[in-house]
């Protein structure tokens, strides 16, 4: 600071001093800035230097105006350089820091134990996680040929959102490709190893399997277009035929070793569909003959299976509001909610996801028998405090008795009526006698509102065809169970439900020998199919527990009268109940954040256990639950003990189980059932003829 | 400190103020003082500052440009190009779609050597974090980061030709395996894009990627690659109800030849598909740039790792690798690595002197290299013929001498060459072996005497070159001779030809019994292609490859075929037209002993025309070995065949070179 002051002195004080001292020269302040000074030969150098000094200061001060840009550049440059330096240093570092101990991956450990690749492995990805790429598009998608539209960085979503939506939607009549657009599933392991950069799906499992000797020839990703219905993947892409050929090939080339299939999420019902398809006679099925399954498959390890559907699918269809999976909003909810593009994002995503048939496969199956009626549900009295409780005693949660104790404590409270999957306003708590029953069929879908829809521009959803009255009527203090839900959906979205009902069925079979059940629409519903005759094949249900999972919803009419808004919204203001089962209009149960325990575990716990009519040959079933434990530090990423629906694919215990089975172990050898939740009790309460 | 100095300065200032005509020394003093002060000020503000400023400026400018580029519609570059060069022709896919062509036959691609990607499945510690990352293909980032590690992982076991212990490098599967070799350097991508226009997609296209480093039969033994190809073809035929069209490129043609024999052979050694498998499943085989009879380049590659631009690792960055930029013997490392790759041996010239010529005779005799220049200007075949007949007068080149030591020897008449037999020379285990440590090539095991003896033999034809390779690279050739054969069969019914090592040699196998199948040979012509080499002994140097192409050997005038120690003939820059075309032109034409069922063969040549300007990239009329995959005429032919056309409808043969004349000269029993 001192030196600066001094400089000032030099500049401004001294010249005056000089001029006052040297009267001979007429010193004019204007001249100081002029260049003529230099020409005066007699002037002492000192003077000159001072002037120059001053001039410099002046030019510097003049340049203040453009210093702003300058400064910006400087800052950016500074940041860039440091960034590069850091990057360089990061790259120079050895890959593994000596001090940082990476926990040993299960693959390494099991390799030391002597496990090697034995059975070929087939991975069946679920909904949403598989990548889709463009093969033919409209002019707006120029230059995207064979680029990922779904998965990866989603950059196109931000660059050309409307174009992107157009290419990802399907024809609303047929549920197949729209004219001039071909979007296809990416084949190979890359299809679903990472969903987005850094967000693994199968990658961890693949890497661990590779440690014990798996590679391209004995590991296959059965990717399929998860937007279209299961049978359509065969009609359009021959995906089922290809899977069949692949399994047969791997069976032969790997020394006649049976295949271990690892489906995830919706992949589990896709594979169920495949099982039935492959043994059915040719026109509708694959013609593999009745022994195909027993001959080629060793075990089916369903990870987070959605056997009985997920309530989320309903809310997604109803109002595009499922919280975190199975629809477009999954990857960027904040962005899509905030209407950043200035158009009705939610509406768009509703329209797009309604063209996807597969979401129809996730609608809860089995009706009131499974999911409960207005007053009863299998989960009744469930302990909603699981998260806190479990965290305190993560080790003791292994046995059922403690759980049961905890549950009994909560019995005192008014139980949550989970059976009411969708209820409006107070209907969620009212006794069932006061609820009005609604005859959906009586309501008329008015066509007079067509003109309304025209004012709404191109964004059209089937809600625009409904009159205000019927919208109100649907909502008026009503509650819907898993059975009446289907009526509701076919009322509000008739076109979609027509398509869905042609492809999927959501009922419960009375007589499985009825010839109608040979139709493909029943194949993906475990309650309407018999498992194939293969007593040696093992079926596993592997899923996470300990995370609140959406089970039923409290809705309200949305207040806005705008023509193209979705008339129903989840009532996020609905008061949270004491025990934590309600939260923002959503009633929660135990699960893996997407799939409730009941849906994932029921078939293994009861429906297929032993020799039942759904499992006539008595295949052994095993339940392996994984208690959720959030990552302890940020460094762990998504954690190695997570139970989240997708994050469970990085769960060390799960990976170990899969690897042991792939290397030849049986269900008994890996420890049989491993249960933390109340699934057995819940299943017991489901009254189903076996 | 600075305060002190400053006071001093100001004091001297005052001094100079008071005494007006002070001495210049003092002035000087104060000046330097000022200058220093300015400097300190500058150095505090200036240097780092302006650097940062510059970087910042560049960065922001870059970002703005990037943003603009991204904001612009994707078709802008095309507009610009069209504005400069005039409207581009429709890509063949669009054109043929308008003609009404649609997807019909499923298509199988068989990539060649080098172009397929390889990824890591298991590696040593140095390759940490590279799991399932591309080691070969893509950006080759790892070559620069950890070159030794990279070489180690891409090498194979020197004895077995299979994986070294603890390392598993496997081919990338799917269309991505070889659509682009490196970013922006297409291989199959253009063809795939054009096929997609007709409606092709994943279910009707299949990339038969295989590990191109190991021998053909080993791909089945290790990876069951051929079983997978068989199963995939069967599946595509079943689901689409149409036979497949197979499109092998480069070494893929040999691989597919091997496959066709394998699939019909009985089970333990073959695929057990039965004698009519090919007939039932294959409509046509469209060989692009096929090295059916081998490439001379492969010899140079094995002999001295010097093949100019393909089939060895130097292909992608020759400058870097030649310069020894890493300070160790890159070339030797490369040589060691490529010598562990069995597949390079599948491309050693086959058929010996019958095909490739003797010391004094070769089928290409009289080829005038000068004609090439005219050819670019006018493509009229008549004028070319004139040129060629003129060329006949010129002194003919002894192409038969694939390797000769010294230019004088290359041109002398055979009777004048004194040759000594190198085989008697003794392998001496000299001490250089130990000093070279890990950079080990088999040359280090040879004594100086043996090396001299090799050079003294002076001239090698296609026949004797095998002996030469056996001598200088015994290990490699032992492995090679177990998997490949280079002769001509006298009697194809000899039961020994049932062994798999003969399957990839078209001169020692019969084509399958499939009279409805069609075989096309499609290749570029009009580019000088390596055919024979002039070698010299390199200056004795420890740990060095003792032989080198004699770069100083040039022809007398521009028209000469000799330049930089390499004799060139017509071809596609890698494969001489003779190798690519002979089988279709003569060996398989009609009903011959190599083609007992009379499979129809067609030759489609594509004359090379370099890209007119930079904007065209690698050109749409190129005839070069890999660039031809973007040649519109070739793509159109493929699309037509895939959409159902036969060779007759395509216009049968389309020939620019002298391939028929040359083939005629070859005296081969048919």
């Amino acid at each position: 600071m001192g030196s600066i002051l001094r400089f000032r002195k030099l500049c401004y004080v001294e010249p005056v001093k000089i001029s006052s001292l040297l009267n001979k020269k007429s010193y004019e302040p204007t001249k100081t800035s002029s260049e003529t000074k230099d020409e005066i030969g007699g002037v002492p150098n000192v003077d000159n230097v001072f002037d120059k000094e001053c001039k410099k200061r002046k030019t510097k001060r003049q340049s203040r105006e453009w210093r702003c840009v300058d400064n910006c550049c400087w800052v950016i440059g500074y940041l860039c350089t440091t960034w590069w330096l850091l990057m360089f240093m990061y790259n120079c570092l050895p890959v593994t820091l000596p001090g940082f101990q990476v926990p040993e991956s299960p693959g390494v450990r099991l390799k030391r134990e002597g496990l090697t690749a034995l059975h070929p492995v087939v991975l069946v990805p679920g909904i949403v996680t598989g990548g889709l790429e463009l093969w033919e598009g409209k002019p707006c998608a120029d230059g995207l040929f064979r680029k990922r539209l779904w998965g990866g960085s989603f950059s196109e979503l931000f660059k050309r959102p409307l174009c992107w939506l157009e290419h990802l939607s399907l024809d609303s009549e047929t549920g197949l490709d729209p004219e001039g657009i071909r979007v296809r599933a990416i084949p190979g392991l890359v299809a679903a190893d990472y969903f987005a950069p850094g967000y693994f799906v199968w990658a961890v499992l693949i890497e661990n399997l590779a440690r014990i000797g798996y590679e391209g020839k004995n590991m296959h990703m059965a990717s399929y277009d998860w937007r279209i219905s299961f049978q359509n993947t065969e009609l359009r892409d021959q995906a089922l035929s290809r899977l069949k050929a692949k399994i047969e090939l791997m069976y032969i080339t790997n020394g006649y070793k049976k295949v271990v299939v690892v489906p995830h999420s919706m992949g589990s019902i896709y594979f169920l569909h495949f099982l039935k398809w492959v043994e059915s006679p040719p026109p509708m099925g694959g013609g593999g003959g009745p022994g195909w399954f027993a001959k080629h498959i060793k075990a089916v390890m369903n990870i987070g299976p959605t056997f009985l559907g997920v309530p989320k699918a309903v809310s997604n269809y109803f109002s595009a509001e499922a919280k975190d999976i199975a629809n477009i909003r999954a990857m960027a909810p904040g962005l899509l909610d905030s209407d950043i593009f200035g158009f009705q994002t939610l509406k768009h995503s509703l329209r797009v996801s309604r063209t996807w048939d597969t979401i129809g496969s996730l609608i809860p199956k089995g009706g009131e028998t499974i999911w409960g009626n207005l007053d009863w549900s299998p989960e009744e009295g469930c302990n909603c405090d699981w998260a806190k409780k479990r965290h305190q005693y993560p080790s003791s949660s292994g046995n059922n008795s403690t759980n049961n104790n905890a549950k009994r404590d909560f019995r005192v409270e008014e139980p949550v009526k989970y059976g009411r999957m969708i209820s409006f306003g107070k209907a969620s708590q009212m006794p069932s006698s006061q609820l009005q029953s609604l005859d959906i069929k009586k309501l008329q879908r008015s066509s007079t509102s067509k003109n309304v829809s025209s004012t709404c521009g191109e964004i059209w959803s089937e809600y625009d065809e409904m009159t205000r009255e019927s919208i109100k009527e649907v909502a008026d203090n009503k509650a819907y169970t898993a059975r009446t839900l289907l009526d509701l959906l076919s009322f509000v979205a008739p076109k979609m439900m027509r398509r869905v009902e042609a492809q999927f069925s959501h009922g419960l079979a009375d007589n499985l020998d009825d010839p109608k059940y040979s139709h493909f629409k029943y194949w993906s519903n475990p309650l309407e199919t018999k498992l194939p005759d293969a007593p040696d094949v093992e079926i596993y249900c592997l899923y996470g527990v300990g995370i609140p999972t959406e089970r039923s919803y409290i809705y309200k009419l949305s207040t806005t009268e705008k023509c193209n808004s979705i008339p129903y919204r989840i009532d996020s203001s609905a008061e949270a109940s004491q025990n934590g089962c309600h939260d923002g209009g959503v009633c929660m149960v135990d699960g893996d954040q997407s799939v409730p325990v009941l849906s994932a575990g029921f078939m293994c716990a009861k429906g297929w256990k032993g020799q039942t009519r759904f499992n006539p040959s008595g295949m052994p079933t095993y339940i392996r639950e994984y208690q959720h434990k959030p990552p302890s530090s940020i460094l762990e990423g998504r954690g190695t003990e997570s139970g989240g629906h997708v994050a469970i694919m990085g769960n060390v215990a799960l990976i170990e189980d899969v690897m042991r089975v792939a290397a030849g172990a049986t269900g008994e050898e890996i420890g049989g059932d491993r249960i933390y939740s109340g699934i057995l009790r819940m299943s017991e309460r489901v009254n189903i003829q076996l | 400190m600075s305060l002190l100095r400053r006071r001093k300065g100001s004091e001297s200032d005052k001094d100079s103020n008071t005494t007006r005509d002070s001495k210049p020394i003092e002035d000087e003093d104060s000046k330097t003082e000022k200058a220093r002060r300015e400097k300190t000020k500058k150095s505090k503000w200036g240097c780092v500052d302006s650097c940062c400023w510059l970087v910042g400026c560049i960065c922001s400018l870059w970002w703005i440009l990037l943003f603009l580029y991204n904001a612009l519609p994707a078709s802008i570059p095309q507009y610009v190009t069209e504005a400069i060069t005039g409207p581009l022709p429709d890509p063949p896919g669009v054109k043929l779609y308008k003609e009404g062509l649609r997807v019909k036959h499923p298509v199988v691609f068989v990539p060649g050597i080098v172009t397929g990607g390889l990824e890591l499945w298991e590696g040593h510690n140095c390759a940490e974090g590279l799991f399932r990352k591309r080691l070969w293909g893509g950006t080759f980032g790892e070559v620069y980061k950890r070159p030794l590690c990279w070489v180690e992982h891409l090498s194979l076991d020197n004895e077995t030709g299979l994986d070294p212990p603890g390392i598993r490098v496997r081919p990338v599967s799917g269309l991505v395996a070889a659509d682009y070799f490196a970013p922006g350097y297409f291989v199959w991508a253009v063809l795939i894009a054009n096929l997609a226009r007709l409606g092709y997609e994943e279910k009707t296209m299949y990339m038969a990627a295989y590990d191109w480093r190991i021998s053909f039969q080993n791909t089945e033994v290790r990876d069951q690659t051929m079983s997978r190809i068989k199963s995939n073809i069967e599946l595509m035929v079943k689901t689409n109800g149409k036979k497949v069209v197979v499109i092998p490129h480069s070494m893929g043609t040999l691989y597919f030849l091997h496959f066709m024999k394998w699939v019909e052979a009985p089970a333990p050694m073959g695929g057990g598909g039965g004698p009519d498998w090919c007939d039932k499943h294959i409509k046509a085989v469209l060989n692009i740039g096929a090295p059916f009879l081998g490439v001379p380049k492969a010899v140079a590659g094995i002999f001295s790792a010097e093949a100019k631009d393909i089939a060895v690792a130097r292909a992608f960055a020759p400058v870097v690798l030649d310069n020894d930029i890493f300070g160790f013997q890159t070339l030797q490392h490369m040589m060691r690595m490529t010598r562990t790759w069995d597949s390079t041996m599948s491309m050693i010239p086959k058929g010996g002197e019958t095909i490739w010529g003797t010391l004094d005779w070769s089928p290409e005799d009289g080829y005038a290299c000068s004609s090439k220049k005219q050819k670019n200007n006018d493509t009229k075949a008549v004028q070319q013929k004139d040129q060629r007949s003129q060329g006949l007068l010129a002194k003919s080149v002894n192409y038969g001498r694939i390797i000769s030591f010294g230019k004088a020897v290359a041109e002398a008449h055979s009777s004048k060459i004194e040759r000594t037999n190198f085989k008697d020379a003794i392998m001496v285990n000299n001490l250089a072996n130990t000093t070279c440590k890990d950079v080990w090539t088999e040359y280090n095991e040879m004594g100086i005497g043996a090396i001299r003896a090799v050079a003294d033999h002076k001239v090698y034809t296609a026949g004797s070159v095998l002996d030469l390779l056996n001598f200088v690279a015994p290990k490699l050739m032992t492995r090679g001779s177990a998997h490949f054969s280079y002769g001509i069969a006298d009697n194809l019914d000899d039961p020994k030809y049932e062994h798999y090592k003969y399957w990839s040699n078209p001169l020692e196998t019969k084509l399958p019994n499939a009279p409805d199948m069609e075989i096309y040979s499609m290749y570029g012509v009009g580019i000088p292609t390596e055919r024979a080499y002039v070698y010299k002994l390199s200056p004795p140097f420890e740990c060095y490859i003792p032989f080198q192409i004699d770069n100083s050997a040039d022809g007398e005038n521009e028209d000469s075929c000799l330049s930089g120690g390499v004799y060139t003939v017509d071809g596609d820059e890698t494969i001489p037209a003779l190798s690519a075309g002979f089988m279709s032109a003569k060996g398989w034409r009609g009903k011959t002993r190599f083609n007992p069922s009379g499979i129809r063969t067609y030759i489609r040549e594509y004359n090379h025309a370099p890209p007119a300007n930079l904007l065209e990239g690698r050109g749409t009329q190129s005839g070069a070995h890999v660039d031809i995959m973007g040649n519109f005429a070739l793509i159109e032919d493929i699309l037509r065949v895939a959409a159902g056309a036969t060779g007759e409808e395509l216009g049968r043969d389309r020939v620019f070179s002298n391939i028929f004349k040359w083939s005629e000269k070859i005296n081969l029993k048919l």
Side-chain angles (χ1 to χ4, degrees), chain A residues 104-122:
Chain A
E104 199 180 34
S105 67
V108 177
R109 187 156 41 83
L110 293 180
K111 190 186 179 184
R112 234 187 3 250
E113 270 184 35
L115 262 66
T116 47
L118 186 68
H119 296 279
V121 171
V122 171

Side-chain angles (χ1 to χ4, degrees), chain B residues 182-312:
Chain B
Y185 189 88
F186 70 82
V187 181
W188 294 91
V190 179
L191 183 58
I192 292 172
N194 279 297
L195 281 167
R197 297 267 188 190
L198 301 191
Y200 279 88
E201 55 192 67
E202 209 71 57
K203 67 174 172 182
T204 42
M205 276 194 274
Y206 171 62
M207 178 77 76
Y210 57 97
D211 188 339
W212 45 262
R213 300 171 305 156
I214 62 180
S215 76
F216 301 156
Q217 191 68 12
N218 275 344
T219 62
E220 170 64 17
V221 172
R222 195 191 72 181
D223 299 338
Q224 285 88 44
T225 309
M226 288 196 261
S227 299
R228 291 159 76 175
I229 296 174
K230 174 172 173 251
S231 147
N232 262 299
I233 291 179
E234 281 168 357
L235 173 69
M236 292 209 294
V237 170
K238 203 171 131 200
T239 55
N240 295 292
K242 294 270 186 308
K243 293 186 196 175
V244 296
V245 169
V246 185
I247 310 174
H249 172 231
S250 185
M251 194 181 79
T253 54
L254 299 177
Y255 188 77
F256 196 73
L257 203 61
H258 188 101
F259 173 81
M260 284 198 290
K261 293 301 287 184
W262 173 86
V263 78
E264 299 201 342
M269 200 191 276
D276 55 351
W277 194 93
C278 291
D279 195 32
K280 265 197 263 172
H281 293 91
I282 301 174
K283 172 193 189 300
V285 184
L286 282 71
N287 301 294
I288 303 175
F292 278 130
L293 303 180
V295 267
K297 229 177 228 190
V299 175
I302 295 172
F303 193 53
S304 64
E306 284 194 292
K308 272 289 176 282
D309 49 35
I310 210 189
V312 285

Side-chain angles (χ1 to χ4, degrees), chain A residues 48-239:
Chain A
N48 237 336
V49 172
F50 276 133
D51 281 348
K52 271 190 185 160
E53 189 80 22
C54 293
K55 262 190 262 164
K56 245 175 211 155
R57 292 250 14 128
K58 275 219 171 132
T59 46
K60 244 189 194 156
R61 293 181 86 217
Q62 280 167 359
S63 66
R64 273 257 151 89
E65 292 125 46
W66 62 274
R67 277 288 283 285
C68 179
V69 182
D70 229 22
N71 273 331
C72 282
C73 282
W74 180 80
V75 168
I76 291 170
Y78 194 70
L79 289 177
C80 280
T81 330
T82 33
W83 175 247
W84 289 334
L85 269 175
L86 286 174
M87 282 283 276
F88 179 74
M89 279 164 65
Y90 176 79
N91 275 325
C92 281
L93 283 177
V95 184
T96 46
L97 282 175
F100 185 72
Q101 192 61 46
V102 183
E104 199 180 34
S105 67
V108 177
R109 187 156 41 83
L110 293 180
K111 190 186 179 184
R112 234 187 3 250
E113 270 184 35
L115 262 66
T116 47
L118 186 68
H119 296 279
V121 171
V122 171
L123 313 172
V124 187
I127 198 169
V128 176
T129 48
L132 301 172
E133 62 186 7
L134 183 75
W135 277 87
E136 185 182 338
K138 297 266 158 73
C140 74
D142 221 1
L144 292 182
F145 175 69
R146 286 187 59 222
K147 296 270 185 310
R148 267 194 187 210
L149 286 189
W150 187 270
S153 59
F154 284 101
S155 55
E156 294 310 320
L157 168 63
F158 303 102
K159 274 196 207 160
R160 21 191 159 170
L162 277 178
C163 181
W164 186 80
L165 285 172
E166 183 189 351
H167 282 82
L168 277 180
S169 14
L170 297 166
D171 191 284
S172 64
E173 293 289 336
T174 60
L176 290 170
D177 290 326
E179 190 65 33
I181 293 177
R182 277 187 293 149
V183 173
R184 295 287 180 269
I186 295 175
L189 292 176
V190 283
D193 54 351
Y194 289 94
F195 176 55
Y199 189 87
F200 70 82
V201 181
W202 294 93
V204 181
L205 183 60
I206 291 172
E207 189 164 350
N208 279 301
L209 283 171
R211 293 266 183 203
I212 59 169
Y214 281 92
E215 59 191 51
K217 66 175 174 183
N218 45 18
M219 186 157 44
H220 173 67
M221 177 80 76
S223 64
Y224 55 97
D225 188 341
W226 46 263
R227 299 170 307 156
I228 62 178
S229 76
F230 303 155
Q231 193 68 11
N232 277 344
T233 62
E234 169 64 15
L235 290 181
R236 198 191 70 180
D237 300 336
Q238 284 88 48

Side-chain angles (χ1 to χ4, degrees), chain B residues 336-646:
Chain B
R336 198 159 66 103
M337 180 169 83
T338 50
R339 276 204 180 173
T340 64
W341 295 349
D342 285 351
S343 59
T344 49
M345 276 173 295
S346 70
M347 296 197 289
I348 291 174
K350 291 163 192 165
E353 296 183 358
T354 317
I355 301 286
W356 294 95
T358 59
L359 287 177
D360 290 317
W361 170 89
S362 77
E364 288 111 325
D365 268 347
Y367 170 70
C369 302
S370 56
S371 61
K372 202 209 89 222
K373 273 168 212 151
Q374 262 83 18
K375 228 192 272 176
N376 285 348
N377 295 341
D378 58 11
T379 44
K380 282 179 192 164
V382 190
Q383 284 198 356
Q384 280 171 30
K385 264 186 190 157
D386 287 352
Q387 289 289 343
R388 290 232 166 77
S389 56
Q390 275 171 24
L392 270 174
L393 302 172
K395 203 174 76 175
S396 69
V397 180
N398 295 317
Y399 284 121
R401 307 171 185 183
I402 286 188
I403 287 181
S404 41
F405 281 88
K407 188 184 161 199
V409 175
E411 285 171 1
H413 192 264
S414 61
S415 56
K416 290 175 192 147
I417 305 172
E418 280 179 43
R419 299 159 79 192
T420 54
N421 196 350
F422 63 90
K423 283 177 195 163
D424 300 336
I426 312 143
M427 288 287 220
V428 187
N429 232 346
N430 67 341
L431 292 169
N433 193 12
T434 49
T435 57
C436 290
K437 281 175 191 160
D438 61 328
V439 186
W440 174 92
T441 69
E442 285 179 295
Y443 281 125
N444 301 133
E445 282 184 359
M446 287 172 64
I448 304 287
I451 289 170
R452 283 233 169 273
V454 165
D456 282 345
H457 186 251
K458 294 209 173 76
V459 185
Y460 299 89
T461 62
S464 53
V465 99
L466 285 174
D467 297 332
L468 171 67
L469 292 178
N470 271 326
F471 182 68
V472 298
K475 243 178 208 166
L476 171 89
M477 291 305 284
T478 338
R479 269 188 293 126
S481 55
H483 287 286
F484 301 105
S485 168
Y486 313 104
I488 297 179
D490 287 329
N491 174 18
L492 278 167
D493 294 323
D494 193 326
K496 79 167 180 177
Y497 289 116
E498 276 160 29
H499 191 267
Y500 63 80
K501 78 176 190 179
Y502 299 102
W503 289 346
S504 61
N505 181 357
L507 298 172
E508 290 178 305
T509 46
K510 283 190 255 185
L511 285 182
N513 178 25
D516 292 335
M517 209 166 93
E518 290 173 327
I519 291 183
Y520 294 76
S521 287
M522 316 171 114
Y523 53 92
V525 290
I527 312 181
T529 307
E530 296 168 45
R531 173 70 168 82
Y533 300 89
V534 177
Y535 266 88
K536 63 175 179 190
L537 278 177
S538 58
F541 198 85
E542 239 171 64
C543 320
Y544 213 78
I545 298 170
F547 309 106
Q548 246 183 3
I549 291 176
D550 186 3
N551 291 325
S552 62
D554 277 314
E556 297 89 36
N557 49 16
E558 282 188 6
D559 292 351
S560 170
C561 291
L562 177 64
S563 95
V566 179
Y567 286 102
T568 55
V569 290
D570 203 2
D572 69 357
E573 204 173 16
T574 300
I575 293 162
L578 185 71
S579 175
F582 173 75
M583 288 318 288
S584 288
K586 189 171 178 192
W588 288 333
R589 178 105 344 166
K591 239 184 228 201
T592 68
R593 65 190 178 112
F594 302 111
N595 179 9
S597 62
I599 297 171
R600 276 151 297 150
T601 59
Y602 301 98
I603 292 184
R604 307 284 295 173
E605 290 185 351
Y606 303 91
N607 212 345
H608 177 71
N613 56 37
L614 269 180
L615 283 170
E616 271 189 27
R618 288 154 69 201
T620 56
Q621 290 172 281
S622 176
H625 189 58
V626 175
D627 293 353
I628 200 174
M629 308 288 282
N631 186 314
F632 277 7
L634 174 107
I635 292 175
E636 192 180 324
D637 283 350
I638 292 175
L639 260 55
R640 283 189 189 281
V641 173
T646 62

